[in-house]
């Protein structure tokens, strides 16, 4: 018997407003287990042969190789900031951010290629240095050729649609109901998690801007001809960065088409923030006390009404 199982509306909304992305970054670890040394150490310590192992760092923390390894984490951090968690291998990216995301990916791709070229140019000399640094542990056969090493590095972007299968199955009614219930429950969990993250990001940007618009009181010691040293309290403006304003505006833009639960409070908070920051530049905030006060007061009003937001 063929049963038609209606797709949850959240999945349809996700499919039209987001895509799934993943960025794989491969870096050669440049390590190798040395069984001979492992056997020597365990034997000398009168331990079982399986009690330990010795792993050689073939490049002895060469700085050009470390740059590549560190850049992999830079890319992963960027993906985490730009997307929302979907599963262990893919992340959810709002369609509104796809063009920007791809442009930034190409920049990371260029940077990674530049670091790789720098490392490979030095690679022959690094091997020669290792002959001295590793002493009797050095084995030239453990070092691949330049072309082989190049193949061990890579960065790749994958983009896929959010799946929208409607699960038509020739199964019994009770099993169909059970699958449909599980499917809807899983979809709701994903949507709730994504929107909780989106809400947290919006509130976080507002709190950061609100804080930066304030001042710090600094105690300054001055010399006086009459009383010796005197202390005076002065106010110091907090630093405001253009990236913070830019990220806040981007989050407002994303939420126009990515309010998956149609939360009216979230929509109003985002629209209010976008309007407040519409004609404000970071220079305005740095130079004008009036603008700083206006923005700080405005954000304080939004936060008092909508924080904490619920999804």
């Amino acid at each position: 018997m063929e049963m038609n199982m209606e797709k949850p509306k959240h999945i349809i909304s996700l499919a039209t407003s987001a895509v799934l992305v993943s960025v794989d970054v491969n870096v050669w670890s440049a390590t190798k287990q040395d069984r001979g040394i492992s056997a020597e150490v365990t034997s000398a310590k009168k331990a079982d042969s399986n009690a330990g192992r010795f792993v050689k760092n073939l490049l002895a923390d060469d700085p050009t190789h470390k740059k590549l390894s560190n850049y992999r984490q830079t890319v992963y951090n960027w993906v985490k900031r730009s997307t929302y968690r979907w599963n262990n291998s893919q992340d959810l990216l709002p369609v509104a951010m796809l063009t920007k995301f791809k442009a930034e990916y190409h920049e990371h791709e260029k940077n990674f290629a530049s670091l790789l070229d720098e490392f490979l140019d030095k690679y022959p000399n690094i091997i020669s240095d290792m002959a001295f640094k590793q002493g009797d542990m050095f084995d030239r056969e453990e070092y691949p050729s330049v072309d082989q090493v190049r193949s061990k590095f890579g960065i790749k972007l994958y983009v896929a649609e959010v799946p929208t299968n409607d699960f038509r199955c020739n199964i019994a009614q009770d099993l169909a109901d059970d699958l449909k219930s599980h499917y809807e429950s899983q979809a709701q969990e994903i949507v709730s998690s994504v929107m909780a993250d989106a809400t947290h990001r919006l509130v976080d940007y507002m709190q950061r801007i609100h804080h930066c618009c304030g001042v710090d009181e600094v105690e300054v010691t001055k010399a006086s001809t009459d009383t010796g040293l005197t202390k005076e309290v002065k106010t110091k403006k907090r630093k405001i960065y253009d990236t913070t304003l830019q990220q806040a505006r981007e989050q407002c833009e994303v939420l126009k088409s990515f309010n998956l639960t149609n939360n009216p409070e979230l929509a109003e908070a985002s629209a209010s923030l976008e309007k407040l920051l519409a004609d404000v530049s970071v220079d305005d905030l740095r130079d004008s006390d009036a603008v700083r006060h206006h923005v700080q007061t405005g954000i304080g009003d939004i936060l008092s009404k909508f924080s904490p937001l619920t999804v």
Side-chain angles (χ1 to χ4, degrees):
M1 179 178 181
E2 185 178 89
M3 303 304 302
N4 294 341
M5 294 169 56
E6 183 181 355
K7 291 177 292 186
K9 293 181 180 179
H10 290 316
I11 292 297
I12 297 173
S13 178
L14 283 171
T16 57
S17 63
V19 293
L20 297 178
V21 298
S22 63
V23 178
D24 291 345
V25 183
N26 297 320
V27 173
W28 178 40
S29 66
T31 58
K32 187 175 181 63
Q33 182 180 357
D34 192 309
R35 298 183 184 277
I37 297 177
S38 298
E40 289 179 18
V41 173
T42 52
S43 176
K45 296 296 182 180
K46 299 179 181 179
D48 186 275
S49 59
N50 294 317
R53 65 177 184 173
F54 184 86
V55 178
K56 292 199 296 189
N57 185 344
L58 298 179
L59 302 179
D61 290 331
D62 173 73
T64 54
H65 180 262
K66 287 187 70 174
K67 285 181 184 178
L68 279 164
S69 298
N70 292 339
Y71 200 76
R72 173 174 56 184
Q73 190 60 50
T74 297
V75 172
Y76 287 161
N77 291 341
W78 161 72
V79 172
K80 184 178 179 180
R81 288 195 308 271
S82 306
T83 61
Y84 300 92
R85 197 64 176 151
W86 178 258
N87 57 35
N88 290 333
S89 59
Q90 295 172 303
D91 295 292
L92 195 68
L93 176 71
V95 170
M97 299 299 295
L98 181 57
T99 300
K100 179 176 182 290
F101 185 85
K102 291 179 70 174
E104 291 175 348
Y105 166 76
H106 289 310
E107 283 301 311
H108 284 300
E109 195 175 37
K110 291 178 184 176
N111 292 340
F112 187 81
S114 177
L115 290 173
L116 178 57
D117 287 340
E118 180 187 359
F119 168 64
L120 293 178
D121 286 344
K122 283 189 60 181
Y123 183 61
N125 291 331
I126 295 172
I127 297 176
S128 298
D129 290 342
M130 291 305 105
F132 294 99
K133 291 182 178 180
Q134 295 202 1
D136 293 340
M137 295 192 304
F138 179 75
D139 182 353
R140 181 61 182 82
E141 297 299 317
E142 294 176 335
Y143 293 84
S145 67
V146 171
D147 289 338
Q148 288 173 324
V149 170
R150 183 181 291 277
S151 68
K152 296 177 183 291
F153 292 85
I155 179 171
K156 183 71 175 178
L157 168 65
Y158 298 92
V159 181
E161 296 179 348
V162 176
T164 56
N165 296 331
D166 66 352
F167 285 85
R168 292 177 180 271
C169 304
N170 293 319
I171 52 178
Q173 179 67 47
D174 56 346
L175 182 57
D177 290 342
D178 180 65
L179 282 177
K180 181 172 180 289
S181 175
H182 173 74
Y183 180 57
E184 290 179 333
S185 174
Q186 185 181 55
Q188 182 59 52
E189 288 176 4
I190 292 172
V191 170
S192 296
S193 176
V194 167
M195 292 313 300
D197 191 2
T199 299
H200 173 76
R201 293 186 191 188
L202 182 69
V203 172
D204 180 60
Y205 291 138
M206 285 195 286
Q207 290 174 336
R208 286 160 58 185
I209 296 172
H210 184 270
H211 174 77
C212 290
C213 285
V215 296
D216 291 319
E217 291 188 347
V218 181
E219 194 175 73
V220 179
T221 302
K222 286 188 173 183
S224 172
T225 55
D226 299 327
T227 60
L229 296 179
T230 61
K231 292 185 178 180
E232 180 181 344
V233 176
K234 290 190 174 182
T235 58
K236 181 180 180 182
K237 294 180 180 179
R238 294 173 182 148
K239 291 184 178 179
I240 298 178
Y241 299 96
D242 187 57
T243 52
T244 304
L245 289 181
Q246 181 182 344
Q247 289 168 347
R249 290 191 176 103
E250 287 176 354
Q251 187 68 4
C252 291
E253 185 65 30
V254 165
L255 287 172
K256 288 180 181 178
S257 59
F258 202 65
N259 188 349
L260 303 177
T261 52
N262 294 317
N263 185 316
E265 290 81 11
L266 179 60
E268 185 175 350
S270 176
S272 298
L273 179 62
E274 183 179 42
K275 182 178 179 180
L276 181 66
L277 299 179
D279 299 317
V280 176
S281 70
V282 70
D283 288 334
D284 293 333
L285 292 173
R286 288 171 181 163
D287 300 336
S288 172
D289 291 339
V291 173
R292 290 170 74 97
H293 178 72
H294 173 70
V295 170
Q296 187 179 45
T297 302
I299 290 180
D301 183 56
I302 297 172
L303 288 171
S304 67
K305 293 179 180 177
F306 304 108
S307 178
L309 296 169
T310 58
V311 297

